[in-house]
Amino acid sequence: MTTELASPVLPIDLAAIQAARERLRGSIYYSPCPHSQLLSSLTGQQIYLKLENLQMTGSFKERGALNRIATLTPEQASRGVIAASAGNHAQGVAYHATARGIRALIVMPLATPLVKVTATKNFGAEVILHGANYDEACEEATRLAAEQNLTFIHPFDDPNVMAGQGTIGLELLEQIPNLEAVVVPIGGGGLIGGIACAIKESNPAIRVIGVQTARLPSMVAAHAEHHPSTIASATTIADGIAVRRAGDITFPVVERYVDEIVTVEEDEIASAILVLLEREKTLAEGAGATALAALLNRKTSLSGRALPAHTAVLVCGGNIDVTLLSRIIERGLVKDGRLVRLRVHLPDYPGALHRLTGILAEHRANIVETSYDRAYHNVNLGDTAIDITMETRGPDHIAELIAALVVAGYAHERIL
């Protein structure tokens, strides 16, 4: 990433980040950064999880929001603030503005998860749902800011916001004395820009690696073209970093300090969410799990090192909709072979189901759900098809069950 061309004057520096830390002191949680022995063994690194999902609003976003709010003039504060956000920035602005008696108006896309809309309202903001995506919500927020004379607080493309996020970098340097690499999710570039500036200006030898969802690689596109450009819209479970255009202010900072940017797929993000939940007892949203997803799937240059690097991994948010979480868990169990659905054809007479369930019980499969069908799936007259969803111990256990059905003479198929 680093270029040898003449470097532009950047919008932030280490002094700005240190000043932000003093403004935030006492109002922002000094989030823990524990070492994970399990994730270290899975990734081949020495992994430390920076748990920003434990902030009051469930995300790192309140650092930048508060630093921007703290720099308002008394006259600006009296008029109020406005922001556009899919949820995390909204909550940060709502919480810290309301705590200081400042009116907060938030414009959120129509598809924003209910948990984030409700939380934003509970933190004291007025919420307007508008637009199919962040860009349309941002346009409306900009219009309302001019109409109502409110101060617009950008979620990432603002020097004060970026400096606030950079305070995480200062904490990492204190928490991991032998720090060698930091892996950070990227949306518009505010988080990684701030952290990279703090890290590189303190110790240039530490590698800073960014991770985007492959569905919306806006910073990757900006780097390829040497300037931000708008890419096509797409849906992603990493909605917190679903940004179509890298920031004009953040891009030069990322270009100067970030060593590498990689992308991860949706299934890889979902798997990382499940690993964090099941193995680390840590709840992460899609954006919050992208950094770990990159390491679990060996996407970064760190995987080629002879010795494991002491690597900080940002778990940047935990505001995930519970219905999405339930689907991620279920799909993860299917992928791991711990949940399987088989369609079995059997004669439609008394005792046929009893015989089938006896075979499944003998092989210790736990039936979760069943569904009969006599009219579809090419079922012969006098027969029935039954879909059986079962909890299993893994792929070997599934193979054992299928072998038992073959021996018993049952026609069957696995439903994927």
Side-chain angles (χ1 to χ4, degrees), residues 341-347 352-353 356 360 371-373 379 383-388 390 401 405 409-415:
R341 180 175 295 173
L342 300 177
R343 178 169 296 147
V344 181
H345 294 256
L346 68 162
L353 179 59
L356 173 61
L360 300 178
S371 175
Y372 273 99
D373 201 307
V379 176
D383 288 349
T384 187
I386 180 171
D387 290 351
I388 306 178
M390 295 168 283
L401 288 171
L405 293 175
Y410 286 111
H412 65 277
E413 58 188 286
R414 185 172 176 177
I415 302 174

Side-chain angles (χ1 to χ4, degrees), residues 1-2 183-187 189 192 207-213 216-224 246 251 254-255 257-264 294 299-301:
M1 285 293 299
T2 305
V183 186
V184 186
I186 300 181
I192 196 168
R207 288 185 63 77
V208 179
I209 299 172
V211 185
Q212 288 202 289
T213 167
L216 282 163
S218 55
M219 191 63 76
V220 174
H223 176 62
F251 176 69
V254 174
E255 193 76 334
Y257 294 120
V258 176
D259 298 291
E260 179 183 0
I261 299 177
V262 300
T263 62
V264 289
K299 295 293 184 76
T300 76
S301 59

Side-chain angles (χ1 to χ4, degrees), residues 17-18 20-21 24 28-33 49-53 55 59-64 161-176 179 182-185 190-192 194-196 198-199 312-317:
I17 297 171
Q18 292 169 334
R21 189 176 193 186
L24 271 54
I28 294 294
Y29 180 47
Y30 189 99
S31 60
C33 191
L49 295 176
K50 183 60 169 167
L51 300 177
E52 284 294 292
N53 57 331
Q55 293 293 347
S59 163
F60 76 95
K61 284 286 191 178
E62 62 181 83
R63 292 176 182 262
V161 170
M162 192 168 19
Q165 322 302 23
T167 59
I168 295 173
L170 300 180
E171 292 178 11
L172 290 175
L173 292 167
E174 296 169 349
Q175 293 172 310
I176 313 172
L179 181 64
V182 181
V183 186
V184 186
L191 175 62
I192 196 168
I195 290 176
I199 293 289
V313 178
L314 265 289
V315 181
C316 61

Side-chain angles (χ1 to χ4, degrees), residues 261-401:
I261 299 177
V262 300
T263 62
V264 289
E265 303 295 335
E266 296 295 291
D267 285 348
E268 293 169 340
I269 298 171
S271 293
I273 292 173
L274 192 57
V275 168
L276 284 167
L277 182 63
E278 185 173 31
R279 310 298 288 274
E280 291 293 326
K281 310 300 181 276
T282 295
L283 180 62
E285 60 187 274
T290 54
L292 179 61
L295 292 175
L296 288 172
N297 292 280
R298 313 283 172 149
K299 295 293 184 76
T300 76
S301 59
L302 298 175
S303 60
R305 289 172 54 116
L307 296 175
H310 289 78
T311 303
V313 178
L314 265 289
V315 181
C316 61
N319 295 319
I320 188 169
D321 185 81
V322 291
T323 56
L324 174 60
L325 180 61
S326 68
R327 293 197 296 271
I328 288 172
I329 292 172
E330 188 171 35
R331 289 184 64 175
L333 293 174
V334 172
K335 183 178 179 181
D336 290 346
R338 290 183 289 164
L339 193 68
V340 66
R341 180 175 295 173
L342 300 177
R343 178 169 296 147
V344 181
H345 294 256
L346 68 162
D348 191 13
Y349 59 73
L353 179 59
H354 177 72
R355 177 170 177 260
L356 173 61
T357 56
I359 294 172
L360 300 178
E362 181 183 346
H363 292 273
R364 310 300 297 172
N366 184 45
I367 297 174
V368 176
E369 185 179 53
T370 62
S371 175
Y372 273 99
D373 201 307
R374 295 179 175 84
Y376 300 95
H377 311 307
N378 296 318
V379 176
N380 294 326
L381 291 173
D383 288 349
T384 187
I386 180 171
D387 290 351
I388 306 178
T389 304
M390 295 168 283
E391 293 175 337
T392 49
R393 296 188 298 273
D396 291 342
H397 190 199
I398 294 173
E400 176 188 320
L401 288 171

